[in-house]
Amino acid sequence: MSAGALPGFRDFYPEQFAERAWLFEVWRRVARRFGFVEYDGPPLESLELYTKKSGDEIVGQLYNFKDKGDRDVALRPEMTPTVARMVAAKANALRKPVKWFSIPQLFRYERQQKGRLREHFQLNVDIFGEADVSADAELLAVACEIMRECGLGPDDVRARVSDRRLLTALLRALEIPASSDAAVFAAIDKIERIPRGHPLWESAWTGIPATTVDRLLGLVESSDLDAMAREFAHVPDVAGVVDRMLRYRSLVEAHGVGEYLKLDLKIVRGLAYYTGIVFELFDAKGQMRAICGGGRYDNLLEALGGVDMPALGFGMGDVVLSDLLRERGKAPATPARLACWVAPKDDRAYVRAVNVAAELRRRGLATDYPLRTQSLSKQVKVAADAGAGRVVFVGDIGDVEVKTLADGSQTTMSLERLYDSLENDGNSDSTGATDHP
Ligand code: HAM
């Protein structure tokens, strides 16, 4: 039996756990700043929840099995069907718009590669009950503000946005039959991975004149909204969607994240339930897998819960984002573990030192001391490695000496003064560490 974790699964040693905890804090902080509230659902769901609407790609990656009650079940590969089911079940009772977020661990039996594992954590941010494009803009703003909070600007990350309705309207305007939609969408989705001329690519265009294909691909490639507005002003279906996109763009700019935005009709999204504006965040060099993906899925609540309610959301995984942060040197420094180290000067001082440490802990300071007597120089080294700001040297009676590790200064004081001064330090309930480099 192998001693390691299963392929595609991760062990989080404290250093990696600290990185993950830092990212979760950023996610929670920004989501809450936008007025979203946190929820969770079960990690195991009925298989049917995914086979109904998620699409073949994700269904092919399910970790599914029969439970002991002979039910077909699956570990959740995504959060959207769960949250759609939860919201649909209480649709009448919930005040709209519903703005929820969650950080589930998800499981997909993928081919393991850079940026793709068999488990990952994914921030899900979703809005229910608002059909207006204002909600789409709000959603993109959350994703971009998270990038900003991580120290990633528009030079590092781009938000590529499309609208499935725009692509559909263009197909109709170019007289491409609706029966080709699925194949054409799939081909455009793979445009960057499968070169033109590949048999898979060519089969999507059967029966469509080459000049039409070229025209469509030209529009997709340029993704120029203003040019489309001019060219298709006389085609109401296209003009309507273009107008909505123009309003979306001005709202995204109003949110102060317009610089991240790039209209790109090549973004189709693999999941089957999207109905409107869809988007993905990528590293600006385009070298990594998507950091984040989402969009509008107005029909999913109807399909899963019989409730007619517009919905939209995104999922942002921890794997690609952490890789990117590491690559750009923006990964958080390992946080300090301690505020204080209490150093008994000798065996006779040991019990008193334990008592001092206990008092400091009760006052909310992360404090440690040696579990067996050690030399003072060793203790100072251990304290520094743990990031402790101060070492308190304790004898068996009398005052204590407090050494500040940053500058090496040392002060003698009574225990009462020590407790007061540390409490007034603003260090309570923390290690005193900052959370970002
Ligand atoms: P998705 O595009 O399948 O969308 O996943 C969203 C993000 O999760 C991806 O951009 C990627 O960062 C991360 N991710 C997905 N699969 C893996 C994997 N195997 N390993 C590492 N990271 C991964 C959804 O899941 C939608 N349910 C998102 C959504 C929420 N749409 C509406 N609301």
Side-chain angles (χ1 to χ4, degrees):
M1 200 178 115
S2 146
L6 285 169
F9 285 76
R10 293 169 290 178
D11 293 323
F12 287 89
Y13 285 88
E15 210 174 293
Q16 290 98 41
F17 190 89
E19 221 175 83
R20 170 176 132 191
W22 173 83
L23 185 59
F24 284 17
E25 265 170 43
V26 171
W27 281 348
R28 287 201 166 93
R29 189 159 65 233
V30 178
R32 289 188 179 130
R33 205 183 284 160
F34 277 76
F36 287 78
V37 289
E38 191 163 2
Y39 69 96
D40 201 359
L44 195 68
E45 290 273 19
S46 76
L47 177 63
E48 196 196 22
L49 188 65
Y50 307 109
T51 49
K52 256 188 177 173
K53 271 286 167 195
S54 291
D56 295 343
E57 190 173 342
I58 221 168
V59 168
Q61 297 169 338
L62 285 172
Y63 273 90
N64 60 306
F65 54 95
K66 272 198 191 297
D67 74 4
K68 289 180 180 167
D70 212 29
R71 290 177 204 89
D72 283 308
V73 294
L75 284 174
R76 58 187 176 194
E78 58 158 338
M79 197 61 170
T80 313
T82 298
V83 71
R85 174 176 64 68
M86 287 168 65
V87 170
K90 292 199 187 281
N92 291 334
L94 293 167
R95 185 191 295 273
K96 269 62 89 189
V98 176
K99 295 172 70 174
W100 284 6
F101 78 95
S102 187
I103 308 181
Q105 189 173 22
L106 305 177
F107 304 89
R108 300 183 188 182
Y109 198 86
E110 297 224 30
R111 196 168 59 77
Q112 196 188 333
Q113 52 191 300
K114 190 165 162 51
R116 285 291 176 271
L117 300 174
R118 290 183 175 163
E119 55 73 26
H120 70 284
F121 290 90
Q122 192 189 85
L123 168 70
N124 275 249
V125 176
D126 292 87
I127 304 176
F128 300 87
E130 184 48 70
D132 193 82
V133 79
S134 58
D136 299 75
E138 165 97 344
L139 193 67
L140 189 73
V142 180
C144 294
E145 283 299 342
I146 289 172
M147 294 301 110
R148 194 170 273 160
E149 192 91 357
C150 286
L152 299 168
D155 289 341
D156 302 302
V157 172
R158 300 315 296 270
R160 296 165 61 187
V161 181
S162 180
D163 189 331
R164 285 190 174 190
R165 288 164 297 191
L166 179 54
L167 200 50
T168 312
L170 287 172
L171 293 177
R172 291 302 85 75
L174 298 177
E175 293 173 357
I176 297 174
S179 55
S180 298
D181 282 3
V184 170
F185 274 41
I188 292 177
D189 185 39
K190 298 193 172 54
I191 215 166
E192 282 163 341
R193 280 168 281 159
I194 298 181
R196 282 183 82 170
H198 189 283
L200 261 182
W201 168 253
E202 292 305 324
S203 66
W205 309 104
T206 318
I208 306 171
T211 47
T212 309
V213 175
D214 284 344
R215 182 132 182 255
L216 177 70
L217 292 180
L219 289 165
V220 167
E221 204 51 62
S222 78
S223 291
D224 184 340
L225 258 193
D226 303 295
M228 273 183 244
R230 285 190 300 274
E231 192 175 341
F232 293 95
H234 62 289
V235 184
D237 281 355
V238 180
V241 197
V242 169
D243 272 355
R244 192 174 43 225
M245 284 303 274
L246 289 169
R247 192 164 114 79
Y248 172 80
R249 188 171 70 187
S250 60
L251 286 168
V252 169
E253 282 163 3
H255 276 286
V257 293
E259 282 182 307
Y260 286 92
L261 180 66
K262 184 177 183 303
L263 184 76
D264 189 342
L265 293 181
K266 294 193 286 299
I267 298 298
V268 174
R269 305 272 302 132
L271 289 155
Y273 44 67
Y274 293 110
T275 54
I277 291 182
V278 285
F279 68 92
E280 291 190 334
L281 263 55
F282 284 92
D283 69 291
K285 290 188 198 151
Q287 291 167 339
M288 296 179 158
R289 306 291 304 252
I291 299 165
C292 163
R296 192 169 266 285
Y297 53 98
D298 282 346
N299 303 331
L300 191 63
L301 273 73
E302 178 77 59
L304 296 181
V307 173
D308 180 15
M309 196 192 282
L312 60 160
F314 70 75
M316 182 183 290
D318 63 331
V319 180
V320 181
L321 182 51
S322 303
D323 284 350
L324 182 61
L325 287 168
R326 247 175 265 125
E327 190 190 88
R328 297 287 150 92
K330 299 199 191 260
T334 306
R337 187 164 65 80
L338 294 177
C340 275
W341 179 269
V342 178
K345 287 184 181 165
D346 51 37
D347 274 345
R348 279 172 305 149
Y350 193 82
V351 173
R352 187 168 180 243
V354 172
N355 186 250
V356 171
E359 186 58 36
L360 291 173
R361 287 171 171 171
R362 223 166 281 129
R363 288 166 188 253
L365 289 147
T367 303
D368 217 348
Y369 63 92
L371 290 178
R372 62 170 64 189
T373 326
Q374 284 172 342
S375 75
L376 291 182
S377 59
K378 173 95 189 280
Q379 292 193 58
V380 171
K381 188 170 178 322
V382 174
D385 287 348
R390 290 182 179 78
V391 179
V392 181
F393 297 99
V394 178
D396 58 344
I397 50 163
D399 289 350
V400 295
E401 282 115 49
V402 181
K403 185 182 179 91
T404 303
L405 290 187
D407 58 11
S409 63
Q410 198 158 314
T411 325
T412 303
M413 61 180 78
S414 69
L415 276 178
E416 289 67 35
R417 219 186 109 211
L418 169 76
Y419 297 147
D420 285 351
S421 70
L422 290 183
E423 215 163 29
N424 295 336
D425 242 12
N427 267 350
S428 279
D429 212 18
S430 81
T431 56
T434 53
D435 66 354
H436 197 271

